[in-house]
PDB file of all heavy atoms in Angstrom:
ATOM      1  N   PHE Y 102      -9.381 -21.033  -1.172  1.00  0.00           N
ATOM      2  CA  PHE Y 102      -8.997 -22.351  -1.401  1.00  0.00           C
ATOM      3  C   PHE Y 102      -9.244 -23.120  -0.110  1.00  0.00           C
ATOM      4  O   PHE Y 102      -8.328 -23.227   0.778  1.00  0.00           O
ATOM      5  CB  PHE Y 102      -7.572 -22.383  -1.713  1.00  0.00           C
ATOM      6  CG  PHE Y 102      -7.177 -21.646  -3.034  1.00  0.00           C
ATOM      7  CD1 PHE Y 102      -6.600 -20.363  -2.947  1.00  0.00           C
ATOM      8  CD2 PHE Y 102      -7.253 -22.247  -4.268  1.00  0.00           C
ATOM      9  CE1 PHE Y 102      -6.344 -19.638  -4.074  1.00  0.00           C
ATOM     10  CE2 PHE Y 102      -6.996 -21.491  -5.436  1.00  0.00           C
ATOM     11  CZ  PHE Y 102      -6.456 -20.176  -5.418  1.00  0.00           C
ATOM     12  N   GLY Y 103     -10.431 -23.753   0.035  1.00  0.00           N
ATOM     13  CA  GLY Y 103     -10.748 -24.519   1.195  1.00  0.00           C
ATOM     14  C   GLY Y 103     -10.800 -23.648   2.432  1.00  0.00           C
ATOM     15  O   GLY Y 103     -10.437 -24.241   3.519  1.00  0.00           O
ATOM     16  N   GLY Y 104     -11.253 -22.480   2.256  1.00  0.00           N
ATOM     17  CA  GLY Y 104     -11.357 -21.530   3.440  1.00  0.00           C
ATOM     18  C   GLY Y 104     -10.070 -20.623   3.618  1.00  0.00           C
ATOM     19  O   GLY Y 104     -10.022 -19.694   4.416  1.00  0.00           O
ATOM     20  N   PHE Y 105      -8.990 -20.728   2.802  1.00  0.00           N
ATOM     21  CA  PHE Y 105      -7.835 -20.043   2.894  1.00  0.00           C
ATOM     22  C   PHE Y 105      -7.812 -18.919   1.771  1.00  0.00           C
ATOM     23  O   PHE Y 105      -7.966 -19.292   0.572  1.00  0.00           O
ATOM     24  CB  PHE Y 105      -6.522 -20.833   2.752  1.00  0.00           C
ATOM     25  CG  PHE Y 105      -5.255 -20.004   2.767  1.00  0.00           C
ATOM     26  CD1 PHE Y 105      -4.721 -19.514   3.938  1.00  0.00           C
ATOM     27  CD2 PHE Y 105      -4.615 -19.778   1.557  1.00  0.00           C
ATOM     28  CE1 PHE Y 105      -3.562 -18.723   3.891  1.00  0.00           C
ATOM     29  CE2 PHE Y 105      -3.548 -18.942   1.559  1.00  0.00           C
ATOM     30  CZ  PHE Y 105      -2.971 -18.434   2.683  1.00  0.00           C
ATOM     31  N   THR Y 106      -7.532 -17.672   2.145  1.00  0.00           N
ATOM     32  CA  THR Y 106      -7.384 -16.615   1.102  1.00  0.00           C
ATOM     33  C   THR Y 106      -6.150 -15.882   1.469  1.00  0.00           C
ATOM     34  O   THR Y 106      -5.670 -15.688   2.621  1.00  0.00           O
ATOM     35  CB  THR Y 106      -8.542 -15.669   1.197  1.00  0.00           C
ATOM     36  OG1 THR Y 106      -8.676 -15.165   2.581  1.00  0.00           O
ATOM     37  CG2 THR Y 106      -9.862 -16.257   0.816  1.00  0.00           C
ATOM     38  N   ALA Y 107      -5.427 -15.289   0.383  1.00  0.00           N
ATOM     39  CA  ALA Y 107      -4.320 -14.577   0.566  1.00  0.00           C
ATOM     40  C   ALA Y 107      -4.496 -13.255  -0.025  1.00  0.00           C
ATOM     41  O   ALA Y 107      -5.322 -12.996  -1.005  1.00  0.00           O
ATOM     42  CB  ALA Y 107      -3.059 -15.323  -0.043  1.00  0.00           C
ATOM     43  N   ALA Y 108      -3.749 -12.243   0.449  1.00  0.00           N
ATOM     44  CA  ALA Y 108      -3.773 -10.828  -0.217  1.00  0.00           C
ATOM     45  C   ALA Y 108      -2.300 -10.294  -0.266  1.00  0.00           C
ATOM     46  O   ALA Y 108      -1.528 -10.494   0.651  1.00  0.00           O
ATOM     47  CB  ALA Y 108      -4.653 -10.078   0.673  1.00  0.00           C
ATOM     48  N   ALA Y 109      -2.126  -9.433  -1.317  1.00  0.00           N
ATOM     49  CA  ALA Y 109      -0.874  -8.705  -1.478  1.00  0.00           C
ATOM     50  C   ALA Y 109      -1.214  -7.302  -1.940  1.00  0.00           C
ATOM     51  O   ALA Y 109      -2.150  -7.076  -2.750  1.00  0.00           O
ATOM     52  CB  ALA Y 109      -0.038  -9.352  -2.499  1.00  0.00           C
ATOM     53  N   GLN Y 110      -0.584  -6.374  -1.365  1.00  0.00           N
ATOM     54  CA  GLN Y 110      -0.834  -4.990  -1.660  1.00  0.00           C
ATOM     55  C   GLN Y 110       0.427  -4.068  -1.735  1.00  0.00           C
ATOM     56  O   GLN Y 110       1.335  -4.248  -0.964  1.00  0.00           O
ATOM     57  CB  GLN Y 110      -1.709  -4.355  -0.532  1.00  0.00           C
ATOM     58  CG  GLN Y 110      -2.188  -2.909  -0.771  1.00  0.00           C
ATOM     59  CD  GLN Y 110      -3.030  -2.325   0.379  1.00  0.00           C
ATOM     60  OE1 GLN Y 110      -2.578  -1.583   1.264  1.00  0.00           O
ATOM     61  NE2 GLN Y 110      -4.216  -2.928   0.429  1.00  0.00           N
ATOM     62  N   VAL Y 111       0.427  -3.168  -2.690  1.00  0.00           N
ATOM     63  CA  VAL Y 111       1.493  -2.238  -2.833  1.00  0.00           C
ATOM     64  C   VAL Y 111       0.882  -0.805  -2.981  1.00  0.00           C
ATOM     65  O   VAL Y 111      -0.050  -0.580  -3.735  1.00  0.00           O
ATOM     66  CB  VAL Y 111       2.264  -2.484  -4.156  1.00  0.00           C
ATOM     67  CG1 VAL Y 111       3.322  -1.407  -4.388  1.00  0.00           C
ATOM     68  CG2 VAL Y 111       2.954  -3.802  -4.103  1.00  0.00           C
ATOM     69  N   GLY Y 112       1.338   0.034  -2.082  1.00  0.00           N
ATOM     70  CA  GLY Y 112       0.826   1.413  -1.980  1.00  0.00           C
ATOM     71  C   GLY Y 112       1.889   2.515  -2.306  1.00  0.00           C
ATOM     72  O   GLY Y 112       3.000   2.365  -1.682  1.00  0.00           O
ATOM     73  N   ALA Y 113       1.580   3.495  -3.158  1.00  0.00           N
ATOM     74  CA  ALA Y 113       2.510   4.554  -3.439  1.00  0.00           C
ATOM     75  C   ALA Y 113       2.489   5.635  -2.316  1.00  0.00           C
ATOM     76  O   ALA Y 113       3.325   6.568  -2.284  1.00  0.00           O
ATOM     77  CB  ALA Y 113       2.334   5.123  -4.753  1.00  0.00           C
ATOM     78  N   GLY Y 114       1.533   5.596  -1.476  1.00  0.00           N
ATOM     79  CA  GLY Y 114       1.326   6.685  -0.444  1.00  0.00           C
ATOM     80  C   GLY Y 114       0.598   7.932  -0.983  1.00  0.00           C
ATOM     81  O   GLY Y 114       0.476   8.049  -2.157  1.00  0.00           O
ATOM     82  N   GLY Y 115       0.080   8.671   0.022  1.00  0.00           N
ATOM     83  CA  GLY Y 115      -0.594   9.866  -0.332  1.00  0.00           C
ATOM     84  C   GLY Y 115       0.265  11.059  -0.565  1.00  0.00           C
ATOM     85  O   GLY Y 115       1.343  11.088   0.029  1.00  0.00           O
ATOM     86  N   ALA Y 116      -0.183  12.050  -1.309  1.00  0.00           N
ATOM     87  CA  ALA Y 116       0.564  13.267  -1.519  1.00  0.00           C
ATOM     88  C   ALA Y 116       0.138  14.317  -0.578  1.00  0.00           C
ATOM     89  O   ALA Y 116      -0.832  14.157   0.164  1.00  0.00           O
ATOM     90  CB  ALA Y 116       0.383  13.684  -2.955  1.00  0.00           C
ATOM     91  N   THR Y 117       0.819  15.489  -0.636  1.00  0.00           N
ATOM     92  CA  THR Y 117       0.496  16.508   0.184  1.00  0.00           C
ATOM     93  C   THR Y 117      -0.685  17.490  -0.314  1.00  0.00           C
ATOM     94  O   THR Y 117      -1.121  18.281   0.498  1.00  0.00           O
ATOM     95  CB  THR Y 117       1.711  17.475   0.415  1.00  0.00           C
ATOM     96  OG1 THR Y 117       2.127  17.859  -0.880  1.00  0.00           O
ATOM     97  CG2 THR Y 117       2.809  16.661   1.028  1.00  0.00           C
ATOM     98  N   SER Y 118      -1.175  17.157  -1.459  1.00  0.00           N
ATOM     99  CA  SER Y 118      -2.335  17.876  -1.904  1.00  0.00           C
ATOM    100  C   SER Y 118      -3.058  17.056  -2.912  1.00  0.00           C
ATOM    101  O   SER Y 118      -2.579  16.172  -3.435  1.00  0.00           O
ATOM    102  CB  SER Y 118      -1.926  19.217  -2.491  1.00  0.00           C
ATOM    103  OG  SER Y 118      -1.156  19.006  -3.802  1.00  0.00           O
ATOM    104  N   ALA Y 119      -4.198  17.590  -3.375  1.00  0.00           N
ATOM    105  CA  ALA Y 119      -5.059  16.845  -4.323  1.00  0.00           C
ATOM    106  C   ALA Y 119      -4.345  16.755  -5.708  1.00  0.00           C
ATOM    107  O   ALA Y 119      -4.712  15.983  -6.610  1.00  0.00           O
ATOM    108  CB  ALA Y 119      -6.454  17.573  -4.457  1.00  0.00           C
ATOM    109  N   SER Y 120      -3.336  17.646  -5.927  1.00  0.00           N
ATOM    110  CA  SER Y 120      -2.712  17.622  -7.206  1.00  0.00           C
ATOM    111  C   SER Y 120      -1.663  16.539  -7.250  1.00  0.00           C
ATOM    112  O   SER Y 120      -0.870  16.360  -8.296  1.00  0.00           O
ATOM    113  CB  SER Y 120      -1.954  18.967  -7.467  1.00  0.00           C
ATOM    114  OG  SER Y 120      -1.000  19.279  -6.423  1.00  0.00           O
ATOM    115  N   GLU Y 121      -1.501  15.677  -6.183  1.00  0.00           N
ATOM    116  CA  GLU Y 121      -0.552  14.641  -6.182  1.00  0.00           C
ATOM    117  C   GLU Y 121       0.882  15.067  -6.203  1.00  0.00           C
ATOM    118  O   GLU Y 121       1.689  14.311  -6.694  1.00  0.00           O
ATOM    119  CB  GLU Y 121      -0.865  13.596  -7.380  1.00  0.00           C
ATOM    120  CG  GLU Y 121      -2.207  12.946  -7.257  1.00  0.00           C
ATOM    121  CD  GLU Y 121      -2.317  12.016  -5.972  1.00  0.00           C
ATOM    122  OE1 GLU Y 121      -1.319  11.478  -5.507  1.00  0.00           O
ATOM    123  OE2 GLU Y 121      -3.371  11.983  -5.453  1.00  0.00           O
ATOM    124  N   THR Y 122       1.155  16.176  -5.720  1.00  0.00           N
ATOM    125  CA  THR Y 122       2.476  16.636  -5.629  1.00  0.00           C
ATOM    126  C   THR Y 122       3.136  15.914  -4.406  1.00  0.00           C
ATOM    127  O   THR Y 122       2.387  15.448  -3.477  1.00  0.00           O
ATOM    128  CB  THR Y 122       2.664  18.191  -5.326  1.00  0.00           C
ATOM    129  OG1 THR Y 122       1.937  18.473  -4.222  1.00  0.00           O
ATOM    130  CG2 THR Y 122       2.161  18.873  -6.574  1.00  0.00           C
ATOM    131  N   VAL Y 123       4.466  15.782  -4.377  1.00  0.00           N
ATOM    132  CA  VAL Y 123       5.138  15.082  -3.246  1.00  0.00           C
ATOM    133  C   VAL Y 123       5.923  16.053  -2.369  1.00  0.00           C
ATOM    134  O   VAL Y 123       6.116  17.213  -2.790  1.00  0.00           O
ATOM    135  CB  VAL Y 123       6.054  13.990  -3.835  1.00  0.00           C
ATOM    136  CG1 VAL Y 123       5.339  12.971  -4.604  1.00  0.00           C
ATOM    137  CG2 VAL Y 123       7.105  14.672  -4.673  1.00  0.00           C
ATOM    138  N   VAL Y 124       6.308  15.619  -1.244  1.00  0.00           N
ATOM    139  CA  VAL Y 124       7.015  16.509  -0.268  1.00  0.00           C
ATOM    140  C   VAL Y 124       8.454  16.585  -0.694  1.00  0.00           C
ATOM    141  O   VAL Y 124       8.939  15.884  -1.606  1.00  0.00           O
ATOM    142  CB  VAL Y 124       6.893  16.009   1.105  1.00  0.00           C
ATOM    143  CG1 VAL Y 124       5.433  15.981   1.625  1.00  0.00           C
ATOM    144  CG2 VAL Y 124       7.527  14.607   1.262  1.00  0.00           C
ATOM    145  N   THR Y 125       9.246  17.595  -0.163  1.00  0.00           N
ATOM    146  CA  THR Y 125      10.632  17.768  -0.503  1.00  0.00           C
ATOM    147  C   THR Y 125      11.457  16.359  -0.415  1.00  0.00           C
ATOM    148  O   THR Y 125      11.331  15.675   0.525  1.00  0.00           O
ATOM    149  CB  THR Y 125      11.278  18.772   0.468  1.00  0.00           C
ATOM    150  OG1 THR Y 125      10.465  19.966   0.521  1.00  0.00           O
ATOM    151  CG2 THR Y 125      12.616  19.026   0.158  1.00  0.00           C
ATOM    152  N   GLY Y 126      12.171  16.225  -1.438  1.00  0.00           N
ATOM    153  CA  GLY Y 126      13.012  14.939  -1.545  1.00  0.00           C
ATOM    154  C   GLY Y 126      12.327  13.893  -2.305  1.00  0.00           C
ATOM    155  O   GLY Y 126      12.944  12.812  -2.469  1.00  0.00           O
ATOM    156  N   GLY Y 127      11.160  14.090  -2.794  1.00  0.00           N
ATOM    157  CA  GLY Y 127      10.556  13.126  -3.544  1.00  0.00           C
ATOM    158  C   GLY Y 127       9.767  12.003  -2.921  1.00  0.00           C
ATOM    159  O   GLY Y 127       9.395  11.063  -3.437  1.00  0.00           O
ATOM    160  N   ALA Y 128       9.569  12.147  -1.533  1.00  0.00           N
ATOM    161  CA  ALA Y 128       8.936  11.063  -0.778  1.00  0.00           C
ATOM    162  C   ALA Y 128       7.531  11.367  -0.562  1.00  0.00           C
ATOM    163  O   ALA Y 128       7.124  12.560  -0.413  1.00  0.00           O
ATOM    164  CB  ALA Y 128       9.598  10.853   0.647  1.00  0.00           C
ATOM    165  N   GLN Y 129       6.597  10.384  -0.689  1.00  0.00           N
ATOM    166  CA  GLN Y 129       5.177  10.645  -0.549  1.00  0.00           C
ATOM    167  C   GLN Y 129       4.976  10.924   1.018  1.00  0.00           C
ATOM    168  O   GLN Y 129       5.543  10.329   1.884  1.00  0.00           O
ATOM    169  CB  GLN Y 129       4.392   9.424  -0.918  1.00  0.00           C
ATOM    170  CG  GLN Y 129       4.560   9.114  -2.343  1.00  0.00           C
ATOM    171  CD  GLN Y 129       3.725  10.197  -3.231  1.00  0.00           C
ATOM    172  OE1 GLN Y 129       4.255  11.298  -3.414  1.00  0.00           O
ATOM    173  NE2 GLN Y 129       2.676   9.866  -3.845  1.00  0.00           N
ATOM    174  N   ALA Y 130       3.907  11.733   1.283  1.00  0.00           N
ATOM    175  CA  ALA Y 130       3.631  12.160   2.607  1.00  0.00           C
ATOM    176  C   ALA Y 130       3.283  11.013   3.584  1.00  0.00           C
ATOM    177  O   ALA Y 130       3.620  10.991   4.695  1.00  0.00           O
ATOM    178  CB  ALA Y 130       2.447  13.249   2.553  1.00  0.00           C
ATOM    179  N   GLU Y 131       2.503  10.017   3.019  1.00  0.00           N
ATOM    180  CA  GLU Y 131       2.096   8.947   3.750  1.00  0.00           C
ATOM    181  C   GLU Y 131       3.060   7.699   3.820  1.00  0.00           C
ATOM    182  O   GLU Y 131       2.918   6.819   4.616  1.00  0.00           O
ATOM    183  CB  GLU Y 131       0.732   8.380   3.380  1.00  0.00           C
ATOM    184  CG  GLU Y 131      -0.490   9.388   3.651  1.00  0.00           C
ATOM    185  CD  GLU Y 131      -1.737   8.828   3.101  1.00  0.00           C
ATOM    186  OE1 GLU Y 131      -1.758   7.727   2.749  1.00  0.00           O
ATOM    187  OE2 GLU Y 131      -2.687   9.580   2.987  1.00  0.00           O
ATOM    188  N   GLY Y 132       4.029   7.748   3.022  1.00  0.00           N
ATOM    189  CA  GLY Y 132       4.975   6.627   2.908  1.00  0.00           C
ATOM    190  C   GLY Y 132       4.535   5.539   1.917  1.00  0.00           C
ATOM    191  O   GLY Y 132       3.347   5.287   1.791  1.00  0.00           O
ATOM    192  N   LYS Y 133       5.504   4.920   1.346  1.00  0.00           N
ATOM    193  CA  LYS Y 133       5.201   3.766   0.450  1.00  0.00           C
ATOM    194  C   LYS Y 133       5.024   2.551   1.231  1.00  0.00           C
ATOM    195  O   LYS Y 133       5.771   2.340   2.159  1.00  0.00           O
ATOM    196  CB  LYS Y 133       6.340   3.731  -0.543  1.00  0.00           C
ATOM    197  CG  LYS Y 133       6.555   4.880  -1.487  1.00  0.00           C
ATOM    198  CD  LYS Y 133       7.676   4.827  -2.333  1.00  0.00           C
ATOM    199  CE  LYS Y 133       7.930   6.165  -3.158  1.00  0.00           C
ATOM    200  NZ  LYS Y 133       9.052   5.959  -4.036  1.00  0.00           N
ATOM    201  N   SER Y 134       4.004   1.698   0.847  1.00  0.00           N
ATOM    202  CA  SER Y 134       3.777   0.604   1.659  1.00  0.00           C
ATOM    203  C   SER Y 134       3.710  -0.722   0.819  1.00  0.00           C
ATOM    204  O   SER Y 134       3.533  -0.704  -0.331  1.00  0.00           O
ATOM    205  CB  SER Y 134       2.485   0.791   2.425  1.00  0.00           C
ATOM    206  OG  SER Y 134       1.330   0.852   1.441  1.00  0.00           O
ATOM    207  N   PHE Y 135       3.926  -1.750   1.560  1.00  0.00           N
ATOM    208  CA  PHE Y 135       3.906  -3.139   0.975  1.00  0.00           C
ATOM    209  C   PHE Y 135       3.288  -4.076   2.082  1.00  0.00           C
ATOM    210  O   PHE Y 135       3.780  -4.033   3.223  1.00  0.00           O
ATOM    211  CB  PHE Y 135       5.225  -3.610   0.548  1.00  0.00           C
ATOM    212  CG  PHE Y 135       5.229  -5.119   0.095  1.00  0.00           C
ATOM    213  CD1 PHE Y 135       4.632  -5.518  -1.086  1.00  0.00           C
ATOM    214  CD2 PHE Y 135       5.782  -6.072   0.933  1.00  0.00           C
ATOM    215  CE1 PHE Y 135       4.670  -6.837  -1.452  1.00  0.00           C
ATOM    216  CE2 PHE Y 135       5.766  -7.381   0.603  1.00  0.00           C
ATOM    217  CZ  PHE Y 135       5.224  -7.816  -0.616  1.00  0.00           C
ATOM    218  N   GLY Y 136       2.347  -4.860   1.667  1.00  0.00           N
ATOM    219  CA  GLY Y 136       1.664  -5.765   2.670  1.00  0.00           C
ATOM    220  C   GLY Y 136       1.320  -7.068   2.143  1.00  0.00           C
ATOM    221  O   GLY Y 136       0.954  -7.245   0.914  1.00  0.00           O
ATOM    222  N   LEU Y 137       1.371  -8.193   3.022  1.00  0.00           N
ATOM    223  CA  LEU Y 137       0.914  -9.472   2.674  1.00  0.00           C
ATOM    224  C   LEU Y 137       0.126 -10.028   3.833  1.00  0.00           C
ATOM    225  O   LEU Y 137       0.329  -9.732   4.955  1.00  0.00           O
ATOM    226  CB  LEU Y 137       2.146 -10.424   2.477  1.00  0.00           C
ATOM    227  CG  LEU Y 137       3.065 -10.134   1.340  1.00  0.00           C
ATOM    228  CD1 LEU Y 137       4.377 -10.969   1.475  1.00  0.00           C
ATOM    229  CD2 LEU Y 137       2.342 -10.367   0.002  1.00  0.00           C
ATOM    230  N   SER Y 138      -0.859 -10.834   3.474  1.00  0.00           N
ATOM    231  CA  SER Y 138      -1.628 -11.585   4.489  1.00  0.00           C
ATOM    232  C   SER Y 138      -2.190 -12.836   4.096  1.00  0.00           C
ATOM    233  O   SER Y 138      -2.382 -13.138   2.800  1.00  0.00           O
ATOM    234  CB  SER Y 138      -2.754 -10.641   5.033  1.00  0.00           C
ATOM    235  OG  SER Y 138      -3.792 -10.595   3.950  1.00  0.00           O
ATOM    236  N   GLY Y 139      -2.487 -13.780   4.993  1.00  0.00           N
ATOM    237  CA  GLY Y 139      -3.137 -14.940   4.679  1.00  0.00           C
ATOM    238  C   GLY Y 139      -4.118 -15.273   5.787  1.00  0.00           C
ATOM    239  O   GLY Y 139      -3.778 -15.102   7.062  1.00  0.00           O
ATOM    240  N   ILE Y 140      -5.352 -15.503   5.473  1.00  0.00           N
ATOM    241  CA  ILE Y 140      -6.469 -15.838   6.376  1.00  0.00           C
ATOM    242  C   ILE Y 140      -7.072 -17.161   6.169  1.00  0.00           C
ATOM    243  O   ILE Y 140      -7.535 -17.368   5.007  1.00  0.00           O
ATOM    244  CB  ILE Y 140      -7.467 -14.679   6.538  1.00  0.00           C
ATOM    245  CG1 ILE Y 140      -6.876 -13.472   6.905  1.00  0.00           C
ATOM    246  CG2 ILE Y 140      -8.680 -15.006   7.475  1.00  0.00           C
ATOM    247  CD1 ILE Y 140      -7.792 -12.271   6.887  1.00  0.00           C
ATOM    248  N   TYR Y 141      -7.246 -18.087   7.125  1.00  0.00           N
ATOM    249  CA  TYR Y 141      -7.924 -19.252   7.070  1.00  0.00           C
ATOM    250  C   TYR Y 141      -9.255 -19.097   7.825  1.00  0.00           C
ATOM    251  O   TYR Y 141      -9.191 -18.912   9.095  1.00  0.00           O
ATOM    252  CB  TYR Y 141      -7.171 -20.509   7.600  1.00  0.00           C
ATOM    253  CG  TYR Y 141      -7.927 -21.776   7.507  1.00  0.00           C
ATOM    254  CD1 TYR Y 141      -8.099 -22.526   6.341  1.00  0.00           C
ATOM    255  CD2 TYR Y 141      -8.438 -22.287   8.693  1.00  0.00           C
ATOM    256  CE1 TYR Y 141      -8.746 -23.707   6.308  1.00  0.00           C
ATOM    257  CE2 TYR Y 141      -9.232 -23.525   8.709  1.00  0.00           C
ATOM    258  CZ  TYR Y 141      -9.375 -24.181   7.571  1.00  0.00           C
ATOM    259  OH  TYR Y 141     -10.117 -25.364   7.511  1.00  0.00           O
TER     260      TYR Y 141
END
């Protein structure tokens, strides 16, 4: 928009193996993430 762009992201995090299992306690190995940005 006239040179301005915005982004939003939600991440569930990576698991401990390719089978997408989670670590003890139900938390993802990499952590759940949320991000926002604006660039002009």
Side-chain angles (χ1 to χ4, degrees):
F102 299 98
F105 175 80
T106 57
Q110 184 181 102
V111 177
T117 55
S118 71
S120 61
E121 294 297 323
T122 57
V123 296
V124 298
T125 303
Q129 295 291 72
E131 291 179 10
K133 300 175 182 179
S134 64
F135 171 74
L137 294 170
S138 72
I140 298 179
Y141 175 80

